[in-house]
Each structure stands twice: as structure tokens, then as C-alpha cells.
Amino acid sequence: MLGASTDRVGRAIVDPFLKVMDAPGVFVVGDAASVMQNERPVPGVAQAAIQEGRYVGGLIAKEVAGREAKRPFRYFDKGNMAVVGKNYAVLERGWLRTSGFLTWLLWAFVHVLFLPQLQNRLRVQRQWLWSYFTGQRSSRLIPEPPRRPGTDTR
């Protein structure tokens, strides 16, 4: 939409400060940004997006305060974890590679630990336990108030 340069996958090419080169004041983070570090692309995973978002938040705060950013964005790879199936997950971090039930428990613990609020942590744990023991998945419903006749929300 900005007419910015993109890579072959359609991600916006950004400078080392995550700014779109042809659009002043515009930042792009996450899997929408093509970020290079050490001549390799930063992966489009949640871990990278979180780090990019925190960096840009700090950068905007500095700009508002009238200070200039001196350090470009640096991605720190904390490793990868993924659930493969019930009771089975994989973990890669540097030389450490593990999988199985204990890795699955570790994945669940880490996932819940990084949820933003205690209420969310408890809700997710409750839903996971229910799903684990009953085999039923919970549904996420977003209730909407009933519309009054003659009102158009478009």
C-alpha cells in the first residue's frame, strides 16, 4: 500500500532500524518485514516479532523524546520449540536437541509462563487440562450484542 520495496515473498524491505526506506516514520515488524542480520534474513516467527516490536516501541519513545537511536535492531535466537502431537514436542537451542513427553511438558510450561496476565495463564491451563482429559476442544465465541432494527454499522 505504501509502494515500498518488497522482497520476493512480498515482505517490506526495512533498514537496520526497521524503518521503511521510502516512507519516513513508518516501521514494519514481524513476518511483514524483510530484516537482514549478518547477511541472513531474520526468521518470521513470533519470537522475532516480539523482539522487533519491543525494539520499535523503544525507538519511537526515543524519537518522541527528541533522542536519536544509535543501535540497530539485533535479533537474539532463543531457540525453537514446537508441539508435534499429543504428549510430543521438539526443542532446538544451539547444540541442544531434544524431543518427547518431557519436552512437551517444558513447551507447555514455557508457553503458559509467557502469557501476559495471570488470568490468561489460568484460563489456558484450564482449557488445556479439559482438552487433554476429555479429548474435546473448547470453542472461542465472541458474543455480539443484538442489533437494533434500523441501525447500520457499516
Side-chain angles (χ1 to χ4, degrees), residues 101-131:
F101 178 71
L102 290 177
T103 305
W104 179 76
L105 286 175
L106 178 65
W107 176 90
F109 174 76
V110 168
H111 185 85
V112 168
L113 181 70
F114 284 97
L115 289 173
Q117 296 175 343
L118 177 63
Q119 176 183 344
N120 291 338
R121 291 182 197 128
L122 296 174
R123 182 181 300 129
V124 167
Q125 286 175 344
R126 193 171 54 245
Q127 288 174 346
W128 283 358
L129 285 171
W130 176 261
S131 179

Side-chain angles (χ1 to χ4, degrees), residues 16-133:
F17 296 91
L18 305 178
K19 293 182 179 181
V20 176
M21 294 179 207
D22 303 329
V26 176
F27 298 90
V28 179
V29 300
D31 57 2
S34 177
V35 184
M36 297 300 285
Q37 182 173 304
N38 301 330
E39 299 179 20
R40 298 183 65 204
V42 171
V45 294
Q47 179 187 146
I50 291 167
Q51 291 178 31
E52 291 167 2
R54 285 188 177 136
Y55 173 81
V56 167
L59 199 64
I60 291 170
K62 284 181 183 177
E63 285 187 7
V64 167
R67 297 182 313 205
E68 193 172 321
K70 295 186 171 52
R71 273 192 250 138
F73 172 74
R74 298 292 303 166
Y75 170 64
F76 175 71
D77 187 1
K78 297 178 182 178
N80 294 307
M81 296 182 85
V83 170
V84 179
K86 188 171 184 179
N87 299 335
Y88 192 84
V90 293
L91 166 100
E92 284 185 352
R93 170 139 193 210
W95 55 268
L96 177 65
R97 287 174 172 29
T98 182
S99 61
F101 178 71
L102 290 177
T103 305
W104 179 76
L105 286 175
L106 178 65
W107 176 90
F109 174 76
V110 168
H111 185 85
V112 168
L113 181 70
F114 284 97
L115 289 173
Q117 296 175 343
L118 177 63
Q119 176 183 344
N120 291 338
R121 291 182 197 128
L122 296 174
R123 182 181 300 129
V124 167
Q125 286 175 344
R126 193 171 54 245
Q127 288 174 346
W128 283 358
L129 285 171
W130 176 261
S131 179
Y132 186 81
F133 289 114

